[in-house]
Amino acid sequence: MTTKFAGMLIALLGGHFFACAQTEIRKITATKTNAVFKIDGMLNEPAWKTAPVVGKFIELRPVPFRKEDSANRTEMYILYNNQGVYFGGYCYEKNKDSIATELIGRDNFGNNDFIGVVLDTYLDKINGFEYFVTPLGEQMDAKAIPQDNNGNSEDFSWNSVWQSACKMQPDGWSFEMFLPYSALRFSKKDIQSWGLNIVRRRNKSGQQLFWNPIDPKVNGFLTQEGLLTIPDKISPPVRLSFSPYFSSYVNNYPYNTAGVKNTTNAFNGGMDIKYGINESFTLDATLVPDFGQTQSDNHILNLTPFEVKYNENRTFFTEGTELFNKGNLFYSRRIGAPPIHLHEVSGKLDSTQHIVNNPSETKLLNATKISGRNKNKLGIGFFNAVTETMYATIENDQGQKQKIETNPLTNYNILVLDQSLKNNSSVTLVNSNVLRNGKDYDANVTALLFNLYDKKNKWNLYGNGYSSTIFSNTKSTGYKYGGGFGKVSGSFIFSTTVQAIDDKFNPNDLGIQFYNNNINTYIYAGYYFTKPTKWYNRWFNNFNFNYDQLYVPRSFQSVKFNYNTNLQFKNLWWIGLFANASPKGNDFYEPRVAGRFFRTPSYFTIGTFGQSNNAKRYSVVVTAMFGNTNLFNQHEWYFDFTQIMRFNNKISISHYINLDPISNNIGFPTSNSDNGADGIYNNSTLLFGRRNRMTVENRLNFKYSFNNKSYITMRLRHYMGTVTYKEFFTLNASGNLDAIPAGNNGIKQYISNNHNFDNNYNTFNIDMVYSWRFAPGSEFNVVWKNGINTFERDVVNGYFKNFNNTIAAPQNNSVSVKVLYYIDYLQLRKKK
């Protein structure tokens, strides 16, 4: 159960997207103006009185289809000229104290009321642009994008440059927004017809209201848009902008080694370029990029046979990448990842050599993306990136240095063709390709996807087919295919999917997939009570079923059941229950050796969560869970607690902690750093261990906003993961565990003398950022980053002892300053 919604409309619709399938939609025609506007939120210009009025909003929540209260009504006016579209309006409030305000930073809704404009400029009911403002004048923008088999999702990493201002009034708040045509994408036509909806949130009352009503029982929110007409022909302008940057870094780490500097500095410079190839397609390029100020990763102790998937925090790889995410073939963290031969260097050394330098990340030289959608509703995306050849430096006892290549010059690219069809349907072709210079292998993946809805937007049919090829000394080709159908509208919805992956399918050179050789059957069913009663506003229930088989040879893996229920009370508190269960199965991945498996025991978990009204100054979210596994009587307790305190509009503090103790857990003995080899004895005997595990994560966030363009944030995170082994077994050919024979001193000696399998991993990070948006699209940032990582085999009992030991360990400190300046070609030409 997530405690933070991914986006605004997800929050509005309770985590499931619905929209209105109306026979009558609202329509409005914008008025052209030649007036000169000062965007100050005041609506003083006489031209506003000539604009048509958008009003009579309809409630989605808490009572669907209820008309807005006249004392708290919403009015908006729409004008346009040759440069862009103007939206101005007034959000009336009977009591000024009922306006929720907080300075939280761009693209964060926080504890705010807001007004937002959602535009479907291609009128395909699948793709859209969203622009929001809060009473204190902060901006949010996003792209509305298709969500697989379930309406729409949102990409808040997308940013554009537009103007807005808001003003608090005695009876509410007023606003002005100017969206230049350069901030939009649309086809060249004599008359523009765009999907339009306007959304208002009154946070303290829990109200969400829309201009064009939304039916919470029908799939997809863009399918419910009203219609905005711009009657004159408008010509999309030249869209060309430059964002040069300059950055400086000072880094300190106490190597305290002769010939190695503890303190280093660096100076960087580069540029981002955005160019509108035509009215529909845009080229984005980053030259000599600098991502040193991105937020630190949330590293964890990984005991699984799978890699950890980390969030992408680099802006270029998150902004406007919705087309490239089709088919889940694009995991951008592959670009700039550790060199593919990073860990092979030590094996190439002789007794006289040592490693001087072995970079752990590949350097990105440049990246380019082209994306857009033409008048025939064909979306085209092309992404390309090049990383530099990487070398490790080694030195012998005589001081002679030598370079060993750890990663070749590599080109990454992905091509997407996405055709929107009638009834919100689409068909998509995706191809990803990785080319490496020299003898290293190349990789290619191709996928064909379709997603079809009926005319009434009630039924959905979807499917996919993938092919992957690895080009090395021998060519290896694998396949993935599947499909399903479902009912997507109504109080009762369901879907069923079957996905098959053969044992050779591998998209991981540019994508991420944790395992192959699998057939999964998935069934989802949900029932939603959206009409409020005397004691609750909404009540959601869903059931999930997963059945997994091995693809080759066909074998049973697991069957899993899950049930969730979530209910919102009239006071805007949430409460929920969830339960999971699985009978005995077979795990073909935990042994880390092909052809071997572990017979997994049955288990169940049961848990609950609660969330207070997050519109209050102080709010909390609590989750608690208990689980039992029917082997060694394994018990797992899980607890997390989030609290947020907003002292005023400018200052807030949030704290998150989770505790996850597991007793008598069974698993393959490994560590955070040994790549899973420790538990294999004599290349054939597989060890499993009974162990106690403890995970604690502690996060503290502080935020202070000077105004709506300048703020300072600080994020502290400490993570502790410990594992203590109590008993060891060998895994037999039948997948069961055998006690180590009393006379087998070889294994016992291997365990006791050569290896201590216990784990004690701690990581601590501080990310402190001062950010100032000194002009539209321009930023000045100062960042301090502190990082500590410790890994030991000896477990230190006690959280505070681990924390103190971590703080006392060597730490890396980095201070950086970065200036990015946005230059718009049209504004530059106008000034000249």
Side-chain angles (χ1 to χ4, degrees), residues 608-777:
T608 183
F609 85 94
Q611 177 179 322
S612 69
N613 183 353
N614 60 13
K616 302 294 185 180
R617 283 182 177 269
Y618 179 75
S619 61
V620 298
V621 181
V622 180
T623 304
M625 184 200 77
F626 170 75
N628 178 266
T629 300
N630 191 24
L631 179 63
F632 303 118
N633 196 28
Q634 173 187 312
H635 287 165
E636 177 177 8
W637 297 89
Y638 177 88
F639 173 81
D640 70 41
F641 177 73
T642 302
Q643 54 182 332
I644 302 173
M645 181 64 196
R646 303 177 182 92
F647 295 94
N648 53 42
N649 288 339
K650 295 184 175 184
I651 303 174
S652 67
I653 296 177
S654 66
H655 174 240
Y656 167 85
I657 186 171
N658 79 51
L659 307 173
D660 188 14
I662 309 175
S663 63
N664 293 321
N665 174 246
I666 192 74
F668 182 89
T670 184
S671 74
N672 200 47
S673 60
D674 61 29
N675 203 26
D678 276 359
I680 303 175
Y681 173 69
N682 280 347
N683 298 320
S684 59
T685 301
L686 303 184
L687 300 179
F688 268 60
R690 181 174 65 87
R691 58 202 183 186
N692 290 342
R693 299 172 55 181
M694 170 59 84
T695 302
V696 181
E697 184 176 6
N698 217 335
R699 296 199 303 261
L700 181 67
N701 291 272
F702 168 83
K703 182 270 302 178
Y704 177 79
S705 296
F706 299 95
N707 50 51
N708 61 9
K709 292 182 173 59
S710 178
Y711 60 88
I712 187 168
T713 63
M714 184 167 65
R715 177 182 185 267
L716 297 89
R717 176 184 183 264
H718 174 236
Y719 169 92
M720 180 194 80
T722 65
V723 181
T724 305
Y725 284 87
K726 302 298 183 181
E727 187 178 9
F728 289 92
F729 305 86
T730 60
L731 183 70
N732 63 33
S734 299
N736 297 310
L737 301 179
D738 294 331
I740 298 174
N744 196 331
N745 294 323
I747 296 178
K748 291 183 177 181
Q749 184 176 2
Y750 176 78
I751 294 171
S752 61
N753 296 342
N754 299 329
H755 287 75
N756 176 2
F757 290 103
D758 293 350
N759 291 264
N760 190 3
Y761 177 70
N762 284 261
T763 181
F764 178 79
N765 292 99
I766 299 175
D767 292 86
M768 190 170 183
V769 179
Y770 168 75
S771 183
W772 173 34
R773 292 182 175 268
F774 59 89

Side-chain angles (χ1 to χ4, degrees), residues 226-286:
L227 188 67
L228 169 65
T229 300
I230 298 179
D232 293 334
K233 183 177 181 179
I234 56 175
S235 298
V238 175
R239 292 185 288 112
L240 176 62
S241 64
F242 307 92
S243 298
Y245 81 87
F246 169 79
S247 63
S248 175
Y249 291 81
V250 176
N251 194 86
N252 178 270
Y253 183 83
Y255 293 101
N256 298 327
T257 302
V260 179
K261 294 181 179 180
N262 288 346
T263 302
T264 60
N265 56 66
F267 300 92
N268 303 308
M271 180 182 296
D272 291 345
I273 301 172
K274 190 181 292 287
Y275 173 62
I277 300 172
N278 55 30
E279 70 272 15
S280 301
F281 295 97
T282 302
L283 179 147
D284 291 275
T286 182

Side-chain angles (χ1 to χ4, degrees), residues 482-497:
F485 73 97
K487 180 177 179 288
V488 295
S489 296
S491 296
F492 173 72
I493 63 173
F494 75 89
S495 64
T496 179
T497 304

